[in-house]
Amino acid sequence: MIVKARAIPLGITPFGNTSHIVHWLTREYGRVTTIIKGAQRPKSGFVGQYDFFDTSELLFYARNKEGVMTTKECYRLTHRAEFHRSWRHGLAASYITRTIRSVMPDFLEASEIFDYYEEMLNYAQEYGGRATFIFWFELQLLEYQGHTPQLKHCGICGTAFEKLTDRLRFSSAQGGLVEARCAQFREIPALPLDKDVLAIIRMLQQAQTPRSTHITKLTERQFNQLSHLLGHFMAHHLNIDPAIRQIALTSLEV
Ligand SMILES: [Zn+2]
């Protein structure tokens, strides 16, 4: 049976002299692996029809549930050129892809995560050159996954933010904001959190689109603090590879 899917490559591997094995995220069937025979032949009809971060229409023979399927046809629907033109945007797209991959369950209703992935890629095309975009993306993803950092009260004693008198800390284990003396008393590891950085996290959390990330300039201190505490939080709650994140972040504009 030939089936049709909206698909984005998550991995492309050369196979033999002329073929490709492609791991796709498809909207209709979740993760699918297909072989594209003759893909690397210059006159192949598949040339230019699929690439990382681009959306294609994929037709394949769905013979068996598991294993590699054969590609019948493939047409590129959306070419996200910015990722191939600007390495900064490309790095942001790579990080988004790796992150989405690592939070994607094996069995799922794929349309939702597919649409989410496409939405994030589309945003990254425009705004992905800046580190603040990465922070915005991480906060959105945390919310999507049900792990939004809690910033309204001390996560240990429950005192409302407005009534906190001690210095602020950020604790991944406690889910977000804590005050320094509570963390110290309970011997809970917590990272420094300055008030202006807290305000930036709130602003990025509430921003429906990354438009504001474009205008927010960070100081070196703000960048380092955000990078450190969000990286810690991401690794704690979503099991993200910190090395990939670090590469993306250090190459982007602050
Ligand atoms: Zn407290």
Side-chain angles (χ1 to χ4, degrees), residues 154-159 164 178-179 181-183:
C154 170
I156 297 168
C157 72
T159 305
L164 295 180
V178 296
E179 55 187 334
R181 64 170 159 232
C182 286

Side-chain angles (χ1 to χ4, degrees), residues 52-224:
F52 288 106
F53 321 130
D54 288 349
T55 305
S56 297
E57 183 177 271
L58 176 71
L59 281 82
F60 61 97
Y61 297 95
R63 273 191 296 256
N64 41 353
K65 265 200 162 336
E66 302 286 317
V68 180
M69 312 205 221
T70 302
T71 309
K72 183 173 186 292
E73 293 167 34
C74 183
Y75 305 101
R76 183 155 66 189
L77 300 174
T78 310
H79 178 42
R80 298 187 174 89
E82 195 61 21
F83 300 137
H84 306 280
R85 198 161 42 215
S86 152
W87 57 271
R88 283 203 170 95
H89 291 75
L91 276 171
S94 290
Y95 179 57
I96 290 170
T97 303
R98 293 294 288 259
T99 309
I100 297 270
R101 268 178 86 156
S102 64
V103 302
M104 201 163 40
D106 282 335
F107 299 97
L108 79 168
E109 166 49 54
S111 63
E112 196 188 319
I113 192 104
F114 186 91
D115 292 345
Y116 185 78
Y117 179 40
E118 273 203 314
E119 189 187 356
M120 291 300 141
L121 286 178
N122 290 339
Y123 281 139
Q125 271 229 104
E126 194 166 350
Y127 304 106
R130 302 190 76 98
T132 38
F133 172 81
I134 297 291
F135 299 141
W136 175 83
F137 162 71
E138 292 181 332
L139 286 162
Q140 299 303 310
L141 184 73
L142 284 163
E143 188 185 330
Y144 184 74
Q145 295 285 310
H147 292 293
T148 303
Q150 181 285 118
L151 305 171
K152 292 199 169 80
H153 50 80
C154 170
I156 297 168
C157 72
T159 305
F161 166 75
E162 292 75 15
K163 292 185 176 161
L164 295 180
T165 51
D166 200 16
R167 282 159 302 142
L168 305 177
R169 293 281 184 273
F170 188 89
S171 162
S172 299
Q174 291 297 315
L177 181 70
V178 296
E179 55 187 334
R181 64 170 159 232
C182 286
Q184 202 170 11
F185 182 69
R186 293 270 301 273
E187 295 182 352
I188 290 167
L191 302 167
L193 174 63
D194 295 337
K195 280 212 165 130
D196 58 342
V197 173
L198 176 65
I200 293 167
I201 297 175
R202 283 193 168 135
M203 186 271 288
L204 293 174
Q205 233 177 21
Q206 285 157 14
Q208 298 284 321
T209 77
R211 220 150 284 152
S212 51
T213 65
H214 219 46
I215 47 171
T216 311
K217 281 246 172 204
L218 302 177
T219 66
E220 199 179 329
R221 171 186 56 83
Q222 290 170 333
F223 171 81
N224 288 337

